[in-house]
Amino acid sequence: MTEPYLAFDGVTKRFGALDVVGQPFDLTIARNDFIVFLGPSGCGKTTLMRMVGGLDTPTGGDIRLEGVPVGGPDHRRGMVFQSYSSFPWLTVAENVLFGMRYRTDLTEQQKRARRDHYLDLVGLYEFSDAYPNKVSGGMRQRVAIARTLAAGSEVLLMDEPFGALDAQRREKLQVELRGIQRRDTKTVVFVTHDVEEAVFLADRVIVFSKRPARLVADIDVTAQLGAERPLELRDSPEFFRLRNGVLKLLREAAGDDE
Amino acid sequence: MSEAPPTGIAGKSAPAPRQPSRRTSLWAFRGALTRRTQAAVGFGTSMLLLLVWEAAARAGLVNATFLPSPVAVLNAMLLMVQKQNLLWHAGVSTLRVWTAFALAAAMAVPVGILMSSYRVVGAALEPIIDFIRYLPVPALVPLSIIWFGVGESTKLYLLWLGTFFQLVLLVADDMRRVPQEYVEIAYTLGARTPQVLRDVAFRAMLPGLVDNLRITLGWCWTYLIIAEIVAADSGIGFVIWTARRYMKTPEVMAGVVVIGIIGLVTDQLLRAAHRRAFRYL
């Protein structure tokens, strides 16, 4: 039996008296899969993702990356947050370069080359010298994605990264992110409570119950919609059917208390 | 203006729609003003106050011994510059303020940062600092004279006392307000704690810190006068106190005005520096 790429093995989490993940949580994630954690707000899905990043520690069980239990954070597992995702005192290009600040294995020349490559990849090259407050919210999220990729992250951990964007920018970034993930072959763990976003982006959608988080469903989206996700896919009947199915699951998971 | 204001009880008659005009834009509730308009309004109001004051003094409405006219104060100031070394005294006071302030800042910044970075440091120091912070500086003058005599160190000590304990809590607050996201981003890029502090947390708090330093510097002047009145033979506080003894009201006011001018100029310079340094805000 081969070791899975990323594995949650009997993970539980308590914050004081609060059970965030009550029952031991098991999940294995294949390399280069796009995984979306979907669940009601405050259900504990973010905590599970943060534990992959080493920003929270499991109370019980462990999380293994290529067989090695994850300890503290490092550059192989990068975070993209919804807000405060880029540093306001650095320009767009400096933000991307900052991603490699603590990489001692790269020369300055290599760092600059990677910076330019990833700025280009997210379409921000011409905004290199702008400060984040001068670009749109969508561009700030692209800065964060480019910075994380430039740092050399193999696993991208994204905490509702498009949550604060308007619908149009959000769609555009979803298409781009899916494209980047396919081309750059990265493993992504993406947290959201938006069903449409989840189905559009994911290879696999993991649906969680309300807190304490429990796995409700594990849906193989790629088996039903394929790996290519053009924008038009959103208008197809298959997409609708799957979206409605997931929405129903989520409603049941959230319960009637809202 | 010729229209009568609507007098009907609410609901009976709707007020007439307002005509947009320059006047209403100046008085728009929570509206914006251009920089130039703000400066003009500020300058105009100050001039108006001076004019009213001057007129009141010339008309003999106020006793000149108690409230000399602005022109008399200005004359006194010019005379003091020529005969009493007013500028030298102002320089001495400024130097005292900056020395004590630099000392307080150099200590408050690291301590404040540590208090917010490590809860245990904060828990240990907060009660002590909060206690001392509430002690009025004048109440500590006798004690500081017993400790330090009446030399330069007493004045520096009093100024330091008045600013350090205020500043340290402000610095701690600046650090506390640094978004956790910035810190966590740095960690997931492979930074270690000292690097997170230096490259991210400190940079993120810097604009707020500089603002708080500017405000605290102003407080320093309050304590300076207390220190110079109690025990000094130089400085603006000394000049004011000496003039008071002979009831030279214009000179007393001239001294006060000099402090005001130094404060205003310093504050504006620091604000301008802030705008330049933190253009990204």
Side-chain angles (χ1 to χ4, degrees):
Chain A
M1 199 187 104
T2 54
E3 182 71 46
Y5 180 62
L6 181 62
F8 291 80
D9 188 2
V11 173
T12 59
K13 181 66 183 176
R14 295 174 69 89
F15 284 116
L18 193 70
D19 260 328
V20 181
V21 185
Q23 294 176 24
F25 177 77
D26 297 303
L27 187 73
T28 58
I29 292 171
R31 186 192 287 271
N32 304 336
D33 253 8
F34 199 125
I35 307 293
V36 173
F37 283 3
L38 180 71
S41 293
C43 76
K45 58 192 189 296
T46 302
T47 306
L48 281 164
M49 183 204 62
R50 288 171 56 84
M51 287 193 276
V52 177
L55 297 171
D56 279 320
T57 344
T59 308
D62 61 11
I63 294 170
R64 290 190 304 274
L65 183 65
E66 297 183 306
V68 183
V70 303
D74 66 42
H75 75 264
R76 292 179 64 202
R77 291 156 289 136
M79 280 294 272
V80 176
F81 291 102
Q82 180 183 121
S83 43
Y84 304 109
S85 57
S86 52
F87 299 130
W89 61 90
L90 299 178
T91 63
V92 166
E94 287 167 344
N95 260 286
V96 176
L97 193 63
F98 193 96
M100 296 167 280
R101 189 178 177 116
Y102 308 108
R103 292 280 305 266
T104 46
D105 53 328
L106 297 172
T107 66
E108 286 306 309
Q109 213 172 1
Q110 285 172 314
K111 287 182 182 180
R112 278 194 296 273
R114 283 175 71 93
R115 174 196 66 192
D116 293 346
H117 170 75
Y118 286 107
L119 275 173
D120 200 35
L121 184 75
V122 298
L124 283 179
Y125 195 84
E126 56 184 309
F127 296 96
S128 289
D129 296 327
Y131 282 102
N133 71 336
K134 292 282 185 282
V135 303
S136 70
M139 290 194 208
R140 282 200 287 274
Q141 295 312 88
R142 284 182 221 193
V143 171
I145 292 167
R147 180 197 58 219
T148 313
L149 293 172
S153 285
E154 294 153 37
V155 184
L156 258 66
L157 304 167
M158 311 186 83
D159 188 6
E160 301 191 30
F162 308 145
L165 305 180
D166 59 61
Q168 233 180 326
R169 288 215 171 90
R170 188 185 251 249
E171 277 190 348
K172 194 152 179 272
L173 270 161
Q174 286 166 357
V175 173
E176 281 179 29
L177 176 64
R178 178 73 194 177
I180 289 169
Q181 182 260 343
R182 298 268 291 148
R183 252 176 295 142
D184 246 43
T185 56
K186 299 286 177 190
T187 309
V188 177
V189 180
F190 188 108
V191 164
T192 185
H193 53 240
D194 179 338
V195 176
E196 206 154 317
E197 179 170 71
V199 173
F200 183 76
L201 281 173
D203 289 313
R204 263 168 89 194
V205 174
I206 311 295
V207 182
F208 288 93
S209 69
K210 62 183 181 186
R211 199 186 65 228
R214 189 170 43 77
L215 191 146
V216 172
D218 180 350
I219 301 150
D220 190 339
V221 179
T222 299
Q224 302 184 48
L225 298 181
E228 294 304 321
R229 305 292 163 81
L231 196 52
E232 305 80 61
L233 182 71
R234 283 179 184 279
D235 303 323
S236 71
E238 305 87 65
F239 183 81
F240 265 107
R241 225 177 359 253
L242 188 55
R243 192 206 68 166
N244 291 342
V246 174
L247 192 59
K248 199 160 162 243
L249 276 171
L250 188 64
R251 279 201 198 113
E252 284 161 14
D256 297 325
D257 55 9
E258 278 190 82
Chain B
M1 293 305 268
S2 59
E3 279 181 3
T7 49
I9 297 159
K12 265 194 173 172
S13 67
R18 284 215 189 184
Q19 295 296 315
S21 70
R22 296 173 78 91
R23 220 179 162 73
T24 49
S25 76
L26 207 55
W27 289 103
F29 180 58
R30 312 194 75 175
L33 276 190
T34 64
R35 254 188 141 64
R36 184 178 286 189
T37 315
Q38 285 193 50
V41 170
F43 184 75
T45 312
S46 310
M47 285 302 117
L48 187 69
L49 182 71
L50 284 176
L51 272 177
V52 170
W53 177 8
E54 181 73 34
R58 291 211 177 175
L61 295 175
V62 286
N63 185 339
T65 318
F66 295 113
L67 191 66
S69 76
V71 171
V73 172
L74 191 67
N75 282 334
M77 198 190 296
L78 294 175
L79 214 63
M80 287 160 84
V81 170
Q82 289 162 5
K83 301 251 169 79
Q84 295 177 37
N85 270 331
L86 182 64
L87 293 183
W88 177 77
H89 284 290
V92 167
S93 290
T94 309
L95 193 65
R96 280 179 188 144
V97 164
W98 276 94
T99 310
F101 176 71
L103 208 64
M107 294 167 76
V109 171
V111 174
I113 288 175
L114 283 176
M115 281 175 67
S116 282
S117 305
Y118 298 100
R119 287 304 262 277
V120 62
V121 180
L125 296 184
E126 240 158 56
I128 305 169
I129 290 174
D130 255 337
F131 172 74
I132 300 179
R133 193 166 70 99
Y134 278 104
L135 298 180
V137 170
L140 294 166
V141 169
L143 199 60
S144 65
I145 290 180
I146 291 172
W147 286 349
F148 297 103
V150 290
E152 208 58 27
S153 41
T154 308
K155 287 160 212 125
L156 294 183
Y157 173 69
L158 284 173
L159 292 186
W160 175 86
L161 203 62
T163 42
F164 171 78
F165 294 96
Q166 310 283 343
L167 192 53
V168 84
L169 292 182
L170 291 173
V171 174
D173 210 41
D174 283 334
M175 180 51 123
R176 213 183 340 262
R177 276 202 302 263
V178 171
Q180 182 65 8
E181 282 91 338
Y182 292 162
V183 171
E184 293 185 341
I185 286 169
Y187 275 126
T188 54
L189 295 175
R192 310 204 159 269
T193 303
Q195 294 167 326
V196 174
L197 259 175
R198 186 193 62 202
D199 299 340
V200 174
F202 186 69
R203 283 307 306 264
M205 75 183 282
L206 203 52
L209 177 68
V210 172
D211 239 353
N212 278 329
L213 289 175
R214 178 176 62 81
I215 291 162
T216 323
L217 179 65
W219 299 344
C220 238
W221 281 94
T222 320
Y223 304 120
L224 172 85
I225 302 309
I226 294 165
E228 286 183 344
I229 282 173
V230 172
D233 49 15
S234 60
I236 295 184
F238 165 77
V239 170
I240 293 172
W241 203 240
T242 312
R244 181 217 60 112
R245 211 177 296 155
Y246 304 106
M247 282 295 274
K248 292 180 182 166
T249 324
E251 293 193 9
V252 171
M253 294 192 77
V256 174
V257 169
V258 167
I259 295 173
I261 291 171
I262 293 174
L264 189 70
V265 170
T266 316
D267 202 73
Q268 290 301 320
L269 286 177
L270 290 177
R271 272 173 198 267
H274 192 280
R275 275 196 300 273
R276 274 186 76 87
F278 307 115
R279 254 185 260 238
Y280 58 82
L281 288 178

